[in-house]
Amino acid sequence: NEAMAQVDRLTTAIDELVQSSRYTSSAVPLVVVDELDGVIEEWQGPYRDAGRILVLRGDSDLIASATGSRLRESVAVLVDNALVHGGGTCVVSVRLIQGVTRDGAQRESTVCVEVSDEGTGVSNDLAPHIFDRGFSGAGSTGVGLALARALIEADGGRLELQRRRPALFAIFLPTPRDTPPTYEREPR
């Protein structure tokens, strides 16, 4: 049971890292599609080797407030899970969700990164537990989805299973609250 002890040590270390990072957020405004290009490129080979397709779609102008490394790692976990447990084409899409309350009032918009595939999805028995640390329906460590969720939450976002069959995971990221300052050179 040394493997489970190692998983426990790793998750404790991850928890401590995420906890400390909540107080020192490194989230910055970033172009989401640009940030994810490298992840998609990195996973193209494994998808090709499996006879599958990986696609990135979305508005290349959408900016979210996030930490690049956290976002990349979280999406990589979802893309890896789709490769191992999913089927068909895996689509990573980036879109803006307009912020409107039920009474029609405006609220902040959210950038949504969705990862979906055409596989059989997540069973009803597994779905409530897939983000639990140490839980795995397929004999893995059960750390990936818990880590991905913790990383996204550390930047004020959310990671959810939006659809079970076929699986669709969604990351919701805040948009930058303030426009970053622009610096112009003073005329001489």
Side-chain angles (χ1 to χ4, degrees):
N1 219 335
E2 178 58 33
M4 283 312 292
Q6 185 178 8
V7 168
D8 288 341
R9 286 191 301 272
L10 178 61
T11 55
T12 299
I14 291 167
D15 281 347
E16 291 170 359
L17 179 65
V18 169
Q19 187 67 20
S20 69
S21 69
R22 286 189 176 137
Y23 300 108
T24 57
S25 178
S26 54
V28 296
L30 52 83
V31 179
V32 178
V33 169
D34 289 353
E35 202 63 44
L36 298 180
D37 270 337
V39 174
I40 302 307
E41 186 176 312
E42 178 183 329
W43 284 93
Q44 288 294 343
Y47 269 80
R48 200 171 19 257
D49 293 347
R52 295 185 49 207
I53 297 169
L54 175 61
V55 178
L56 175 61
R57 294 187 180 135
D59 183 345
S60 59
D61 294 331
L62 289 179
I63 297 174
S65 180
T67 303
S69 59
R70 291 176 183 165
L71 177 60
R72 289 188 308 270
E73 180 61 30
S74 298
V75 171
V77 166
L78 297 175
V79 167
D80 179 39
N81 277 358
L83 178 61
V84 173
H85 305 292
T89 299
C90 177
V91 177
V92 178
S93 61
V94 179
R95 63 188 179 93
L96 184 67
I97 298 174
Q98 295 293 338
V100 180
T101 61
R102 286 185 183 172
D103 63 1
Q106 277 296 116
R107 65 169 213 244
E108 289 188 39
S109 298
T110 303
V111 174
C112 180
V113 178
E114 295 174 327
V115 179
S116 63
D117 65 61
E118 302 168 326
T120 57
V122 179
S123 74
N124 292 338
D125 294 340
L126 295 180
H129 306 287
I130 59 171
F131 292 107
D132 296 347
R133 259 187 318 246
F135 178 81
S136 173
S140 67
T141 62
V143 174
L145 288 173
L147 171 62
R149 179 177 257 183
L151 291 172
I152 293 301
E153 287 176 352
D155 279 343
R158 291 187 336 268
L159 169 57
E160 300 175 358
L161 175 63
Q162 291 283 278
R163 185 180 66 219
R164 293 178 182 187
R165 296 192 174 150
L168 182 137
F169 287 86
I171 296 172
F172 300 95
L173 300 169
T175 54
R177 297 198 192 306
D178 299 311
T179 305
T182 56
Y183 298 97
E184 295 180 18
R185 188 175 194 161
E186 292 289 323
R188 292 184 182 207

